[in-house]
Amino acid sequence: MEDEFLVRLLVSEELRTAEFHVIEALDAEEAIAVLNSGVRVDLILSDVRMPGAMDGLGLLAFVRRSHPTIPVIITSGHLQRDTAFDDNTQFLPKPYTFPQVIKLIGATLGGDK
């Protein structure tokens, strides 16, 4: 989930081009609905800032409580690069390139892209 529509659209399209299956969510509440629906989710890519009552860190907390094995990549231009996360969470500072995000997702999922 990305807080800026155009960025989310472009990243989603690049991930699809790299042959990832992408489910977009407008905000954390929509992402939680997807997670609770039983749809298979292998990884979550989320910005810290997003619309709605819950931000990306709140979504991360929810995922760690309810789906602790799903890897999460948090992206932000506002957090410090040395922000500490658990072992199943990666931090991708903004700005990033499409090849960077594709490589990180591939590595996190256990394959190289």
Side-chain angles (χ1 to χ4, degrees), residues 2-3 7 9 13 18 23 26 31 40 57 61 75 78 85 87 98 102:
E2 169 63 45
D3 64 332
V7 174
L9 178 69
E13 286 306 310
I23 301 169
L26 173 65
R40 179 179 167 181
L57 298 178
T75 184
H78 306 283
F85 291 105
D87 291 341
F98 294 135
I102 289 168

mmCIF file of all heavy atoms in Angstrom, residues 2-3 7 9 13 18 23 26 31 40 57 61 75 78 85 87 98 102:
data_model
loop_
_atom_site.group_PDB
_atom_site.id
_atom_site.type_symbol
_atom_site.label_atom_id
_atom_site.label_comp_id
_atom_site.label_asym_id
_atom_site.label_seq_id
_atom_site.Cartn_x
_atom_site.Cartn_y
_atom_site.Cartn_z
ATOM 1 N N GLU A 2 0.538 2.109 -0.826
ATOM 2 C CA GLU A 2 1.293 3.342 -1.004
ATOM 3 C C GLU A 2 0.311 4.483 -0.825
ATOM 4 O O GLU A 2 -0.827 4.397 -1.274
ATOM 5 C CB GLU A 2 1.918 3.332 -2.402
ATOM 6 C CG GLU A 2 2.511 4.619 -2.857
ATOM 7 C CD GLU A 2 3.676 5.096 -2.026
ATOM 8 O OE1 GLU A 2 4.560 4.292 -1.690
ATOM 9 O OE2 GLU A 2 3.701 6.296 -1.697
ATOM 10 N N ASP A 3 0.774 5.555 -0.157
ATOM 11 C CA ASP A 3 -0.127 6.662 0.134
ATOM 12 C C ASP A 3 -0.434 7.511 -1.087
ATOM 13 O O ASP A 3 -1.439 8.201 -1.119
ATOM 14 C CB ASP A 3 0.413 7.530 1.278
ATOM 15 C CG ASP A 3 1.728 8.216 0.952
ATOM 16 O OD1 ASP A 3 2.485 7.674 0.126
ATOM 17 O OD2 ASP A 3 1.999 9.262 1.541
ATOM 18 N N VAL A 7 2.014 6.602 -7.475
ATOM 19 C CA VAL A 7 3.156 5.760 -7.100
ATOM 20 C C VAL A 7 2.696 4.319 -6.916
ATOM 21 O O VAL A 7 3.336 3.380 -7.390
ATOM 22 C CB VAL A 7 3.845 6.296 -5.825
ATOM 23 C CG1 VAL A 7 4.936 5.342 -5.355
ATOM 24 C CG2 VAL A 7 4.416 7.683 -6.075
ATOM 25 N N LEU A 9 0.140 2.846 -8.267
ATOM 26 C CA LEU A 9 -0.186 2.310 -9.587
ATOM 27 C C LEU A 9 1.074 1.891 -10.341
ATOM 28 O O LEU A 9 1.147 0.788 -10.894
ATOM 29 C CB LEU A 9 -0.966 3.352 -10.394
ATOM 30 C CG LEU A 9 -1.350 2.964 -11.806
ATOM 31 C CD1 LEU A 9 -2.398 1.855 -11.793
ATOM 32 C CD2 LEU A 9 -1.867 4.174 -12.557
ATOM 33 N N GLU A 13 2.205 -1.967 -11.265
ATOM 34 C CA GLU A 13 2.410 -2.384 -12.655
ATOM 35 C C GLU A 13 3.800 -2.963 -12.872
ATOM 36 O O GLU A 13 3.963 -3.959 -13.579
ATOM 37 C CB GLU A 13 2.146 -1.223 -13.613
ATOM 38 C CG GLU A 13 0.679 -0.906 -13.773
ATOM 39 C CD GLU A 13 -0.157 -2.114 -14.173
ATOM 40 O OE1 GLU A 13 0.208 -2.819 -15.136
ATOM 41 O OE2 GLU A 13 -1.180 -2.364 -13.508
ATOM 42 N N ALA A 18 7.094 -7.880 -13.510
ATOM 43 C CA ALA A 18 8.109 -8.796 -12.975
ATOM 44 C C ALA A 18 7.499 -10.146 -12.581
ATOM 45 O O ALA A 18 8.160 -10.957 -11.948
ATOM 46 C CB ALA A 18 8.819 -8.164 -11.782
ATOM 47 N N ILE A 23 -2.080 -7.652 -5.208
ATOM 48 C CA ILE A 23 -3.391 -7.247 -4.707
ATOM 49 C C ILE A 23 -3.193 -5.859 -4.109
ATOM 50 O O ILE A 23 -2.431 -5.693 -3.162
ATOM 51 C CB ILE A 23 -3.920 -8.209 -3.619
ATOM 52 C CG1 ILE A 23 -4.025 -9.627 -4.174
ATOM 53 C CG2 ILE A 23 -5.268 -7.716 -3.083
ATOM 54 C CD1 ILE A 23 -4.288 -10.676 -3.096
ATOM 55 N N LEU A 26 -6.184 0.214 -0.803
ATOM 56 C CA LEU A 26 -6.145 1.669 -0.673
ATOM 57 C C LEU A 26 -5.582 2.107 0.676
ATOM 58 O O LEU A 26 -4.865 3.085 0.774
ATOM 59 C CB LEU A 26 -7.551 2.249 -0.858
ATOM 60 C CG LEU A 26 -7.712 3.737 -0.595
ATOM 61 C CD1 LEU A 26 -6.919 4.531 -1.628
ATOM 62 C CD2 LEU A 26 -9.171 4.129 -0.631
ATOM 63 N N ALA A 31 -6.483 -3.550 3.486
ATOM 64 C CA ALA A 31 -5.472 -4.615 3.556
ATOM 65 C C ALA A 31 -5.868 -5.664 4.596
ATOM 66 O O ALA A 31 -5.728 -6.871 4.360
ATOM 67 C CB ALA A 31 -4.108 -4.021 3.894
ATOM 68 N N ARG A 40 -4.608 -15.900 -0.187
ATOM 69 C CA ARG A 40 -3.189 -16.125 0.101
ATOM 70 C C ARG A 40 -2.406 -14.835 -0.118
ATOM 71 O O ARG A 40 -2.481 -14.227 -1.193
ATOM 72 C CB ARG A 40 -2.645 -17.221 -0.797
ATOM 73 C CG ARG A 40 -1.176 -17.483 -0.576
ATOM 74 C CD ARG A 40 -0.691 -18.595 -1.458
ATOM 75 N NE ARG A 40 0.766 -18.612 -1.450
ATOM 76 C CZ ARG A 40 1.481 -19.449 -2.130
ATOM 77 N NH1 ARG A 40 0.894 -20.348 -2.895
ATOM 78 N NH2 ARG A 40 2.788 -19.398 -2.073
ATOM 79 N N LEU A 57 2.592 1.438 10.129
ATOM 80 C CA LEU A 57 3.129 0.809 11.337
ATOM 81 C C LEU A 57 2.016 0.121 12.123
ATOM 82 O O LEU A 57 2.229 -0.929 12.730
ATOM 83 C CB LEU A 57 3.874 1.830 12.190
ATOM 84 C CG LEU A 57 5.097 2.455 11.514
ATOM 85 C CD1 LEU A 57 5.738 3.500 12.417
ATOM 86 C CD2 LEU A 57 6.101 1.388 11.093
ATOM 87 N N ALA A 61 1.794 -3.864 12.973
ATOM 88 C CA ALA A 61 1.465 -4.420 14.288
ATOM 89 C C ALA A 61 0.341 -5.442 14.184
ATOM 90 O O ALA A 61 0.387 -6.517 14.800
ATOM 91 C CB ALA A 61 1.100 -3.302 15.264
ATOM 92 N N THR A 75 8.031 0.930 3.661
ATOM 93 C CA THR A 75 8.746 1.965 2.931
ATOM 94 C C THR A 75 8.339 3.341 3.447
ATOM 95 O O THR A 75 7.196 3.542 3.868
ATOM 96 C CB THR A 75 8.505 1.825 1.405
ATOM 97 O OG1 THR A 75 9.300 2.787 0.738
ATOM 98 C CG2 THR A 75 7.058 1.995 1.051
ATOM 99 N N HIS A 78 10.228 9.148 5.550
ATOM 100 C CA HIS A 78 10.188 9.911 6.798
ATOM 101 C C HIS A 78 10.836 9.191 7.977
ATOM 102 O O HIS A 78 11.189 9.835 8.949
ATOM 103 C CB HIS A 78 8.737 10.255 7.147
ATOM 104 C CG HIS A 78 8.031 10.954 6.023
ATOM 105 N ND1 HIS A 78 8.226 12.278 5.719
ATOM 106 C CD2 HIS A 78 7.163 10.498 5.095
ATOM 107 C CE1 HIS A 78 7.507 12.609 4.664
ATOM 108 N NE2 HIS A 78 6.850 11.547 4.260
ATOM 109 N N PHE A 85 13.234 -3.076 13.180
ATOM 110 C CA PHE A 85 12.048 -3.892 12.953
ATOM 111 C C PHE A 85 12.387 -5.334 13.311
ATOM 112 O O PHE A 85 13.553 -5.678 13.481
ATOM 113 C CB PHE A 85 11.610 -3.804 11.484
ATOM 114 C CG PHE A 85 11.073 -2.470 11.077
ATOM 115 C CD1 PHE A 85 11.823 -1.613 10.298
ATOM 116 C CD2 PHE A 85 9.804 -2.063 11.474
ATOM 117 C CE1 PHE A 85 11.330 -0.373 9.914
ATOM 118 C CE2 PHE A 85 9.294 -0.826 11.100
ATOM 119 C CZ PHE A 85 10.065 0.020 10.321
ATOM 120 N N ASP A 87 12.681 -9.525 12.631
ATOM 121 C CA ASP A 87 13.420 -10.240 11.586
ATOM 122 C C ASP A 87 12.622 -10.482 10.318
ATOM 123 O O ASP A 87 13.199 -10.760 9.267
ATOM 124 C CB ASP A 87 13.914 -11.589 12.120
ATOM 125 C CG ASP A 87 14.999 -11.420 13.166
ATOM 126 O OD1 ASP A 87 15.604 -10.335 13.226
ATOM 127 O OD2 ASP A 87 15.235 -12.370 13.932
ATOM 128 N N PHE A 98 12.473 1.001 -9.080
ATOM 129 C CA PHE A 98 11.720 -0.235 -9.324
ATOM 130 C C PHE A 98 12.625 -1.463 -9.201
ATOM 131 O O PHE A 98 12.239 -2.434 -8.555
ATOM 132 C CB PHE A 98 11.011 -0.205 -10.673
ATOM 133 C CG PHE A 98 9.929 0.835 -10.761
ATOM 134 C CD1 PHE A 98 9.825 1.631 -11.881
ATOM 135 C CD2 PHE A 98 9.016 1.019 -9.736
ATOM 136 C CE1 PHE A 98 8.823 2.593 -11.975
ATOM 137 C CE2 PHE A 98 8.017 1.979 -9.817
ATOM 138 C CZ PHE A 98 7.918 2.767 -10.940
ATOM 139 N N ILE A 102 11.879 -4.607 -6.604
ATOM 140 C CA ILE A 102 11.708 -5.943 -7.186
ATOM 141 C C ILE A 102 12.754 -6.901 -6.615
ATOM 142 O O ILE A 102 12.438 -8.037 -6.242
ATOM 143 C CB ILE A 102 11.766 -5.868 -8.722
ATOM 144 C CG1 ILE A 102 10.486 -5.185 -9.238
ATOM 145 C CG2 ILE A 102 11.942 -7.253 -9.345
ATOM 146 C CD1 ILE A 102 10.542 -4.780 -10.693
#
